[in-house]
Amino acid sequence: MTPGTVLITGPTGGLGRETTLALARRPHAERPDLLLVGRPGDALSSVAAEARAEGAVVHDIGADLTRLSDVRAAAGAVGELVAAGQTRPLRGLIANAGLMSVDTHTASADGYELTFAVNYLAHAQLIGELRHQFSAPARIVLVGSNTYHQNIFRKILHVAPARWRDPIEIARPLPPDEPATMEHSGIAYSNAKLAILYYAHELQRHLPDGVTVAVFEPGFMPGTGLSRGFGGAAVQRIGRAIQAIPGVSSPARSGPLLASVAVDARWAHLKDGAFVVKNAERPVQPFAHDRVREQQLWAATAHLLPTLNWS
């Protein structure tokens, strides 16, 4: 892809950090400018400095993705940078930021269940705000997960699959009189990842020619920041040990693969929410293609993000 600018959310740790540095380390002629959108603080400043040390042009934009007002402000900052010529044309967006809330009673600043708010709604807001900023050819890559459905391995590990329902209901925190469980947390995460698939398919229908959408699954990555609330540092240490097992993914292995999907010619054919698992395109489950659900999610998103106008 013609080098331009790539925006990445959640660049401060794990997969996001490794993807950022993989992009920064590309040969000069292939290296994009980088817009790093993440929670303001030392971690954002540090990864920006590391990427600059590799030779990349980097702008870090502080934003708390649990607040839609921050997301809108970040999109405004991107538009100003592009309009002023301080960065090259926007040719890529990697929607990487995500979390898995332990307590599904927890609401975002805007009142939405936190896992759904960050994994899905924040990125829908950001992409919607930036839709006119992309310069074709451009790619939008959403980070997804196979947790949306359950296979034997995930069943053994008690990983809850998605239980789809009205997206307005999914966006609501768990009622205070209903106890939160690990299963609630897993379902909320898997629902958000199924929403990303539905959104990717529908989003492609609303974008101009030359702007394409794909979904990237980094593989099973134990020990990443997603496990912070489930046993804390001890669980993360165990997870990092598991990463040494052949076939288990890690941010260091999957980050360069995500960077490749965002910019390399090998993946130029991807569109319509094509699903890439690590380094191979894979089919999704039949129920993950559902035009009715996709349109319902699009309408619900317009309701949940009232400041966004797609006309």
Side-chain angles (χ1 to χ4, degrees), residues 228-284:
R228 279 193 297 266
F230 301 90
V235 169
Q236 289 184 274
R237 284 196 297 270
I238 293 169
R240 285 192 288 270
I242 294 173
Q243 287 176 9
I245 298 173
V248 176
S249 298
S250 69
R253 288 190 283 270
S254 293
L257 301 179
L258 175 52
S260 176
V261 170
V263 298
D264 282 343
R266 173 190 174 187
W267 302 107
H269 67 285
L270 297 177
K271 62 179 182 177
D272 299 327
F275 192 60
V276 177
V277 179
K278 295 192 281 191
N279 62 356
E281 190 174 354
R282 303 292 187 196
V284 295

Side-chain angles (χ1 to χ4, degrees), residues 15-261:
L15 181 65
R17 180 178 180 278
E18 295 297 337
T19 303
T20 296
L21 295 179
L23 290 167
R25 290 168 180 155
R26 297 178 74 83
H28 176 75
E30 303 173 10
R31 183 189 301 133
D33 295 351
L34 298 174
L35 297 176
L36 308 183
V37 177
R39 191 182 295 272
D42 291 344
L44 182 60
S45 299
S46 176
V47 71
E50 286 186 74
R52 290 188 189 103
E54 298 290 346
V57 174
V58 181
H59 297 275
D60 49 302
I61 301 171
D64 181 349
L65 268 64
T66 70
R67 297 179 177 274
L68 292 174
S69 59
D70 273 26
V71 175
R72 293 191 292 271
V78 171
E80 291 173 5
L81 288 167
V82 173
Q86 293 180 262
T87 192
R88 288 183 284 181
L90 184 62
R91 296 197 186 277
L93 186 151
I94 301 174
N96 163 74
L99 58 77
M100 184 175 178
S101 178
V102 179
D103 184 355
T104 48
H105 294 116
T106 306
S108 70
D110 305 279
Y112 303 131
E113 192 280 316
L114 196 59
T115 300
F116 192 71
V118 173
N119 288 274
Y120 174 66
L121 287 174
H123 289 118
Q125 181 82 49
L126 182 65
I127 292 166
E129 298 281 351
L130 293 175
R131 65 194 182 280
H132 297 308
Q133 298 291 337
F134 290 101
S135 294
R139 302 179 195 175
I140 296 170
V141 184
L142 312 172
V143 174
S145 173
N146 265 323
T147 62
Y148 75 92
H149 74 98
Q150 194 172 63
N151 60 10
I152 295 298
F153 176 69
R154 287 188 285 278
K155 188 172 184 178
I156 291 170
L157 292 177
H158 302 287
V159 177
R163 294 183 185 172
W164 192 255
R165 59 191 193 278
D166 183 342
I168 301 294
E169 291 292 326
I170 291 174
R172 289 180 182 145
L174 192 68
D177 59 347
E178 187 173 346
T181 66
M182 288 280 288
E183 185 178 30
H184 283 122
S185 180
I187 291 170
Y189 183 77
S190 296
N191 277 344
K193 293 304 183 179
L194 181 55
I196 285 170
L197 288 172
Y198 290 146
Y199 172 70
H201 304 151
E202 187 65 25
L203 175 62
Q204 187 70 81
R205 301 177 185 119
H206 295 263
L207 291 171
D209 291 343
V211 182
T212 57
V213 186
V215 180
F216 176 80
E217 152 68 277
F220 175 51
M221 292 195 301
T224 64
L226 282 174
S227 64
R228 279 193 297 266
F230 301 90
V235 169
Q236 289 184 274
R237 284 196 297 270
I238 293 169
R240 285 192 288 270
I242 294 173
Q243 287 176 9
I245 298 173
V248 176
S249 298
S250 69
R253 288 190 283 270
S254 293
L257 301 179
L258 175 52
S260 176
V261 170

